[in-house]
Amino acid sequence: MNEILDILIATLLLTDMMLLASSRLAFCIKAVAFQGLIIGLMPVLISGGGHENREILLIAIVNIAMKCLVLPFLLNKASKMAHVQREIEPFISYPVSIMLGISGIAISFWACSGIALPDRIISDIATPAAISMIFTGLLLVISRKKALTQALGYLVFENGIYFFGTSLFQEHSLIVELGILLDVFVLIFVMGIAVFHISREFDHIDTDKMQSLGDWEEEIEEKEGDEVTG
Amino acid sequence: MISASLLIVPTIAAALVWIINSDRARRFLLVLTAAVNLLLSGASCLIEPGELFRGWIAPDEISKLFFCITGIVFLAASVQTVKYLHREAEKRKNSPKKAYEDDEMSERGFISCLLIFLSTMNLVICASHTGLMWVAIEATTLASAPLIYFHKNNHSLEATWKYILICSVGIGLALLGNLMLYEAMQLNGIGTQMLIQDIIKNAGALNKGWLEASFILFLVGYGTKMGLAPMHTWLPDAYSESPSTVSALMSGALFNCSFLGLLRIHQICVSAGVGDFSQELLKIAGLLSMGIAAVFIIGQTDYKRMLAYSSVEHIGIMAFGIGTGGIAVYGSLLHTLNHSIVKTALFLTAGNILAAYGTRHISDVKAMVKEVPATGVLWMAGLLAICGFPPFGTFITELTIAKGAIESGNYLSAGLYIGFLALIFAGISKIMISMAMGSGCLVPEKQKSQLILPAAVLIVFSVILGLYIPDWLSEAVWQISLKFGAQ
């Protein structure tokens, strides 16, 4: 049992790396959906057969349906409507991203070795993997230019937090779980609409071109000038 | 009963908006709901509002205070919204550009989002389960995002995107804080239900390390939503690009909701005996916010951004007050009321200035006292109030916090607090004088008609609070502050 879990967790770490290395959006969306599948299955695998099984199963089904089907569908639709297929020239280049991701994994393993974790933890590598996943998500949010990739990064971040909860094997109540899922769903929905509007308004979804708001006028004018020439 | 209706009434009204076909009826419904909401909030102070869902929703004393603040702010903002929507509709009718087909749609959506926003804020205030509170705070972000985007241009889009992304990531960290709080309970075998009252009862048995870690994450998470520096970067953009009534709601009501989220966690820390740790962090974050606000207010060129930075300053003041402890906690809690009233009045007035002059540049607005006297006077009064000038309520609360800081014996932080206040006063008063006085800018006659009633009432209210605080109010606030580390 534990070996299967360890393999699944290792797969999660690998998908993190793939996300950091890949520029194709369609692939990234698939990778995030795959992560959602693993993370959704995890509580079912851990619980095996308990008296609360039905509730866990229900949460797992809603979770997988949301993260593997609905959200990827929304993101795919947004990417089609906004005519974007790939991320071009992120703020942090792909090799550097991967290096940062690997150091993130190393740091989270090192940090978790010092914390008093509860005995009922599911696997030794679960908590550090969850923390490194949160780190990967944040890295994607800050290092990518396209609005859609940032939304994907947020999903990885959220998956990481969810996995962190699972790794400590805590049972949140049904309502809270569903509430969190609903929030994430609406968030991605709103983001999808925003991406569509950004592409209509700016003819691209590069958020680094969004620089018209600032505090110093000289700075704003300079940037606007840049946009005309560049 | 009352807590249920505070949640349900706005939600039903939000649904009704999609059925009603007349513009006028929809706007009337908005104001009506706001008035009912304020009545219900007032009633909650007199009659016990009652618990729901096995104590998941259980308003306590501080909820009642925050219900009332939200109710007042929402009513003022919705009256102004009616005028605003009317003006926008006129503008669209007169503009040569072909009107969008979805105009009516967007007004429906706007009113409906406003009402859902109110309902989610009420949910934050009365939630007594940390998980439910997290869900509600994230829901306020989602309900308010379409409001910021009302103008549908690239500036408002940029502001909306920043708002959604930064706040969601921030609130995501607060979710992590929730999990760590849960861990702090689990390690020492305290129940599995995260009801705040239960946690506080067993607070002594919480694992200190995990609790401290969770407080840091909550501070960053809910701090992002409040606009605590250095997580405030979305705030000036969102406040300046959204319609003024929305900025008023965000800084007068939403702001308090996220503050309440943080306060509840602070309360847990205080009862668990790590109050010193959380106070220290709140104090540092508060002073940092005030410092950053001071830097950006001096030399600010856009008056709505100036107000936004002033909100950063005031969240700093409140966090500093809570962090200082003692009588400053009392000052801080009363300051939430005073600040909300004054800041709402200011944002509503800023909307009027924008309508009259058609610009947000400070340098293009002159001679307000001569051109639009009522708005000009309100603007000056509001700015004096926000700087903490007597006879406004903010004067008393800022002074109380200063007194608490000096009594606590930490003269460095007290000195910094007073220094930043002075700097900000200098920055704001320069802007105020240049906008109110002078000559030159002529305002076209047809742009002079303005709705000043809501802002005027709020300013008068602030003066009353400055001259006389009723005993029952100060007693109630004092009782609340005892729970948050006042001695």
Side-chain angles (χ1 to χ4, degrees):
Chain A
M1 191 66 203
N2 244 337
E3 273 163 26
I4 302 176
L5 277 180
D6 283 349
I7 292 170
L8 284 180
I9 294 168
T11 330
L12 279 181
L13 289 177
L14 282 178
T15 44
D16 280 353
M17 292 301 110
M18 283 152 91
L19 277 166
L20 285 174
S22 165
S23 71
R24 281 186 53 231
L25 269 175
F27 175 78
C28 288
I29 293 173
K30 272 185 203 136
V32 173
F34 181 65
Q35 281 193 339
L37 178 69
I38 294 181
I39 288 171
L41 278 177
M42 205 75 87
V44 183
L45 285 177
I46 299 164
S47 73
H51 61 286
E52 286 164 338
N53 230 359
R54 207 185 284 160
E55 209 163 84
I56 291 177
L57 209 61
L58 177 66
I59 291 175
I61 291 171
V62 178
N63 211 341
I64 292 173
M66 189 74 84
K67 286 185 179 158
C68 283
L69 301 172
V70 180
L71 296 184
F73 170 76
L74 281 177
L75 288 168
N76 266 325
K77 201 163 180 196
S79 91
K80 284 218 180 75
M81 273 158 74
H83 305 294
V84 273
Q85 272 87 45
R86 42 176 73 237
E87 169 84 38
I88 305 157
E89 285 182 18
F91 290 117
I92 299 176
S93 68
Y94 297 107
V96 181
S97 302
I98 296 177
M99 288 313 288
L100 281 173
I102 292 174
S103 16
I105 294 178
I107 291 170
S108 19
F109 271 86
W110 172 76
C112 284
S113 63
I115 309 176
L117 287 168
D119 305 333
R120 68 207 140 67
I121 189 136
I122 53 163
S123 158
D124 289 338
I125 61 170
T127 314
I131 293 176
S132 73
M133 213 168 147
I134 293 171
F135 179 75
T136 310
L138 287 176
L139 187 64
L140 282 173
V141 171
I142 58 171
S143 69
R144 299 297 190 253
K145 281 181 186 171
K146 298 268 186 239
L148 250 180
T149 336
Q150 292 176 348
L152 270 176
Y154 177 80
L155 267 185
V156 175
F157 167 74
E158 208 275 335
N159 274 342
I161 293 176
Y162 191 87
F163 182 42
F164 181 82
T166 320
S167 79
L168 300 170
F169 194 29
Q170 63 137 342
E171 56 274 19
H172 243 323
S173 17
L174 186 65
I175 299 174
V176 172
E177 296 265 6
L178 295 181
I180 292 171
L181 276 174
L182 183 70
D183 275 346
V184 173
F185 166 69
V186 179
L187 177 72
I188 296 300
F189 191 72
V190 172
M191 278 180 167
I193 295 173
V195 165
F196 171 63
H197 280 274
I198 292 173
S199 70
R200 202 178 60 180
E201 202 68 51
F202 294 91
D203 289 328
H204 55 69
I205 57 169
D206 288 5
T207 48
D208 69 318
K209 299 280 172 55
M210 290 185 171
Q211 292 187 334
S212 55
L213 303 179
D215 283 294
W216 316 114
E217 249 168 87
E218 306 79 43
E219 198 184 324
I220 297 169
E221 273 160 22
E222 197 180 303
K223 279 175 190 161
E224 277 172 356
D226 274 358
E227 210 179 340
V228 176
T229 51
Chain B
M1 186 59 205
I2 291 180
S3 30
S5 28
L6 275 169
L7 300 176
I8 293 169
V9 168
T11 317
I12 292 178
L16 281 179
V17 166
W18 295 95
I19 302 170
I20 297 172
N21 276 323
S22 135
D23 270 358
R24 208 176 263 186
R26 276 197 299 265
R27 292 171 195 169
F28 176 71
L29 180 70
L30 174 67
V31 178
L32 182 71
T33 317
V36 170
N37 177 63
L38 181 59
L39 278 180
L40 284 170
S41 313
S44 76
C45 301
L46 304 173
I47 314 163
E48 210 34 55
E51 292 187 1
L52 288 175
F53 305 118
R54 288 168 291 148
W56 281 45
I57 290 174
D60 54 1
E61 296 305 315
I62 191 167
S63 314
K64 294 173 190 169
L65 174 70
F66 279 63
F67 273 142
C68 292
I69 300 179
T70 309
I72 296 168
V73 170
F74 195 84
L75 181 60
S78 58
V79 171
Q80 196 87 20
T81 302
V82 172
K83 173 81 179 172
Y84 170 78
L85 287 175
H86 181 70
R87 202 160 54 210
E88 287 291 302
E90 290 284 302
K91 218 190 276 173
R92 281 197 300 262
K93 241 182 253 163
N94 298 334
S95 76
K97 212 167 72 179
K98 194 174 150 274
Y100 289 114
E101 280 168 11
D102 55 8
D103 267 350
E104 199 211 53
M105 230 27 200
S106 77
E107 188 179 316
R108 267 178 206 231
F110 186 74
I111 295 180
S112 164
C113 279
L114 272 178
L115 291 166
I116 293 175
F117 185 40
L118 174 64
S119 168
T120 52
M121 284 193 293
N122 280 341
L123 182 60
V124 176
I125 295 173
C126 59
S128 69
H129 182 286
T130 54
L132 183 64
M133 193 157 75
W134 184 88
V135 171
I137 291 185
E138 173 70 15
T140 57
T141 316
L142 300 172
S144 50
L147 298 176
I148 300 177
Y149 185 49
F150 183 65
H151 286 309
K152 294 202 171 34
N153 55 28
N154 49 6
H155 291 288
S156 60
L157 191 58
E158 178 180 339
T160 312
W161 184 257
K162 274 189 190 170
Y163 175 63
I164 299 181
L165 199 68
I166 298 177
C167 283
S168 297
V169 169
I171 297 175
L173 291 175
L175 181 59
L176 199 57
N178 253 325
L179 296 175
M180 294 200 169
L181 179 62
Y182 186 86
E183 206 42 49
M185 290 160 63
Q186 286 285 292
L187 271 179
N188 297 352
I190 312 171
T192 52
Q193 283 293 334
M194 302 184 71
L195 293 175
I196 293 169
Q197 295 311 325
D198 289 357
I199 302 178
I200 288 171
K201 248 181 245 158
N202 302 316
L206 286 171
N207 181 298
K208 302 270 188 306
W210 282 94
L211 181 61
E212 285 179 356
S214 98
F215 181 77
I216 295 176
L217 287 166
F218 274 114
L219 181 70
V220 174
Y222 292 157
T224 310
K225 194 71 198 293
M226 288 192 291
L228 210 54
M231 293 86 74
H232 68 285
T233 45
W234 61 272
L235 190 142
D237 295 344
Y239 281 21
S240 62
E241 292 305 325
S242 52
S244 298
T245 52
V246 174
S247 329
L249 273 179
M250 290 180 71
S251 94
L254 176 59
F255 187 68
N256 295 337
C257 291
S258 353
F259 185 51
L260 182 65
L262 195 54
L263 274 179
R264 297 223 191 260
I265 307 303
H266 174 62
Q267 191 184 357
I268 293 175
C269 288
V270 169
S271 13
V274 290
D276 289 344
F277 172 79
S278 56
Q279 282 186 339
E280 200 59 34
L281 283 181
L282 280 170
K283 202 151 71 177
I284 294 170
L287 284 175
L288 187 65
S289 306
M290 291 179 72
I292 286 185
V295 170
F296 281 94
I297 281 176
I298 296 171
Q300 186 55 254
T301 54
D302 174 333
Y303 54 86
K304 275 183 91 177
R305 288 184 84 86
M306 177 197 77
L307 291 183
Y309 279 110
S310 152
S311 289
V312 176
E313 175 216 347
H314 282 269
I315 195 59
I317 293 178
M318 290 173 211
F320 176 77
I322 298 289
T324 304
I327 194 171
V329 176
Y330 167 81
S332 228
L333 288 171
L334 204 53
H335 194 71
T336 54
L337 173 65
N338 279 315
H339 166 255
S340 293
I341 292 171
V342 173
K343 190 51 73 56
T344 307
L346 274 172
F347 267 117
L348 297 183
T349 314
N352 281 339
I353 301 175
L354 187 58
Y357 287 85
T359 174
R360 291 202 322 253
H361 282 282
I362 290 169
S363 52
D364 296 342
V365 178
K366 290 228 164 0
M368 270 170 58
V369 175
K370 211 187 295 169
E371 295 293 325
V372 275
T375 306
V377 169
L378 276 179
W379 182 245
M380 286 177 76
L383 287 181
L384 284 176
I386 211 71
C387 294
F389 230 63
F392 300 99
T394 40
F395 168 69
I396 296 181
T397 44
E398 285 183 11
L399 194 68
T400 314
I401 295 172
K403 184 166 171 258
I406 294 169
E407 272 177 3
S408 74
N410 192 340
Y411 297 113
L412 176 67
S413 62
L416 281 174
Y417 168 76
I418 294 170
F420 287 142
L421 280 184
L423 268 180
I424 289 165
F425 172 65
I428 289 188
S429 54
K430 180 170 165 267
I431 291 169
M432 174 184 80
I433 292 169
S434 89
M435 285 174 76
M437 307 299 173
S439 59
C441 296
L442 282 177
V443 177
E445 203 56 44
K446 69 171 183 348
Q447 291 176 11
K448 281 190 179 173
S449 93
Q450 289 179 332
L451 182 66
I452 54 157
L453 185 72
V457 170
L458 289 173
I459 291 285
V460 170
F461 195 21
S462 171
V463 173
I464 294 174
L465 275 176
L467 298 175
Y468 169 68
I469 303 173
D471 285 340
W472 53 267
L473 179 64
S474 69
E475 180 57 31
V477 175
W478 181 247
Q479 285 305 325
I480 298 169
S481 57
L482 285 178
K483 289 184 189 160
F484 298 99
Q487 279 108 31

